[in-house]
Amino acid sequence: MSNGETNGQRGPHGEQDQQTPGPAPAGGQWYPPEWPDRIRALADGSLTPVAPKRAATVMLLRDAADGPDVHMLRRRASMAFAGGAYAYPGGGVDPRDDDHLVGWAGPALDHWAKRLGTEPATAQAIVCAAVRETYEEAGVLLAGPTADTVVDDTTGDDWETDRQALVARELSFADFLDRRGLLLRSDLLGAWARWITPEFEPRRYDTWFFVAALPEGQRTRNASTEADRTVWIRPSEAAAGYDRGELLMMPPTISTLRSLEPYGSAADALAAAEGQDLTPVLAQARLEGGELVLSWPGHDEFTKRVGTTGGAS
C-alpha cells in the first residue's frame, strides 16, 4: 500500500506515488444515489435531521519549490461515507477531549473559543481533535516538551503503541500528553473554515477545518485504516484533477483546496488563517419549479438540481 512518500516523484496530477485514482463523475463531486430520495423526504417533513457531531480536520502543508503541497488521503471504496473520496486527516471529537485541561501552548482557550464560536471547553475539544486525528491518521504530532519546541520523531515502537491506543480509545489524548510531558502546540494551527453536513444525511458532522505546517523532522505516513493511499499534492493540481473528474471530493474539500491556491508557502497560509471566515456552511434543499435544488450558500459551483423522478444535474 503506497504511502505517497516512497519515491519522491510526482505523478501526472501531482501525486507522489504511482497508483492511478479510480474514475469519478464529471466535476469530481461525490454525490450519493440516495440523496434525491432523502432530500425529498426532508422537504416533505418525513425525515428528521440528526444532530451533527463535532469534528475537526487538518490541511497539513509542506513547502515545495513551486509552493506548498497539501497532504491528502483517499478513503477506501468500502467506506459507507464518501468512499473513494479524497480528504484530509480528521475525525470526530472524543468526549474526553474536553473533560479536563490539557497541557497547552499558544493562544489561550478564550481566544480559541472566540475564534471558533464556541465555549472554551468545546474549543479545547475541537483543537485536541485536530491534533489527535492528525497523529492518528498521518503520524504527525503537533506537540512538544516546551511552548517553543515540537517533537521531531514519532516513528518508534513506543510511539506506535500509544497511537494505536489512541485510535482504540483506550488512551485519552490528555493522558497521552501528560504521560509524555508534552504541550499541545495550538499556535501551530490556524482555523480556516467550518462546514456542517447537510440535514438530509444520516451521518452528520459540524467540522472545523485547520491549516498546519509539517513540523521539521516529522514525516507523514498512511496510518489510517480508512484510507487506501495518501499523497502530497499541490492544491492547484488536486483541484484540476477534481475539475477533470479524476479525483473524487466532497464540496468542503474542493472548496478549501481552492482557497489554498493563492498562498506561496505554508507560513503564508498560516498567517492568513486568522482572517478566514468561519461562518458555518450548511447545504440547503428547496423546491423550485418542480425540481429539488441542493445548494451550499456562497458556493454556487456545488448547486445540484434533482428532478421529481430522481437524478441530479
Side-chain angles (χ1 to χ4, degrees), residues 49-120:
V50 300
K53 298 179 180 179
R54 298 171 300 172
T57 189
V58 176
M59 300 180 287
L60 194 62
L61 305 175
R62 73 175 184 189
D63 288 327
D66 48 2
D69 290 342
V70 62
H71 179 70
M72 303 188 76
L73 55 84
R74 184 175 66 184
R75 294 174 59 82
R76 294 184 183 277
S78 59
M79 297 297 295
F81 184 78
Y86 282 77
Y88 315 112
V93 166
D94 182 340
R96 297 173 296 179
D97 286 339
D98 57 4
D99 64 0
H100 70 277
L101 293 176
V102 303
W104 193 269
L109 283 176
D110 285 344
H111 170 89
W112 277 108
K114 182 177 180 180
R115 179 72 181 117
L116 301 179
T118 67
E119 297 298 320

Side-chain angles (χ1 to χ4, degrees), residues 251-276:
T253 308
I254 182 59
S255 173
T256 49
L257 270 175
R258 295 199 200 283
S259 70
L260 289 173
E261 290 185 36
Y263 301 100
S265 68
D268 289 344
L270 280 167
E274 196 68 22
Q276 297 298 310

Side-chain angles (χ1 to χ4, degrees), residues 122-273:
T122 301
Q124 174 181 281
I126 293 165
V127 174
C128 279
V131 175
R132 175 178 48 75
E133 289 286 339
T134 302
Y135 181 51
E136 288 181 11
E137 297 198 338
V140 171
L141 183 59
L142 303 176
T146 67
D148 57 0
T149 60
V150 63
V151 296
D152 59 4
D153 186 4
T154 63
T155 59
D157 289 344
D158 59 331
W159 285 102
E160 180 59 17
T161 297
D162 280 351
R163 193 194 66 80
Q164 292 282 3
L166 287 169
V167 172
R169 298 297 181 260
E170 297 168 354
L171 176 66
S172 75
F173 192 58
D175 287 343
F176 165 73
L177 293 175
D178 288 346
R179 191 168 72 188
R180 287 188 170 271
L182 298 175
L183 302 175
L184 183 152
R185 290 288 306 275
S186 75
D187 54 314
L188 300 181
L189 286 168
W192 196 264
R194 181 181 178 186
W195 287 66
I196 303 177
T197 309
E199 291 182 332
F200 51 81
E201 270 285 2
R203 296 177 180 86
R204 300 190 63 215
Y205 299 93
D206 185 353
T207 304
W208 282 261
F209 287 72
F210 295 85
V211 291
L214 179 69
E216 185 175 354
Q218 294 195 39
R219 293 188 63 184
T220 57
R221 58 192 177 92
N222 185 4
S224 173
T225 59
E226 299 180 354
D228 61 9
R229 76 181 297 213
T230 64
V231 297
W232 282 101
I233 185 171
R234 288 187 298 273
S236 60
E237 290 288 342
Y242 167 91
D243 290 337
R244 291 190 297 266
E246 296 169 352
L247 301 182
L248 188 65
M249 299 180 201
M250 298 171 69
T253 308
I254 182 59
S255 173
T256 49
L257 270 175
R258 295 199 200 283
S259 70
L260 289 173
E261 290 185 36
Y263 301 100
S265 68
D268 289 344
L270 280 167

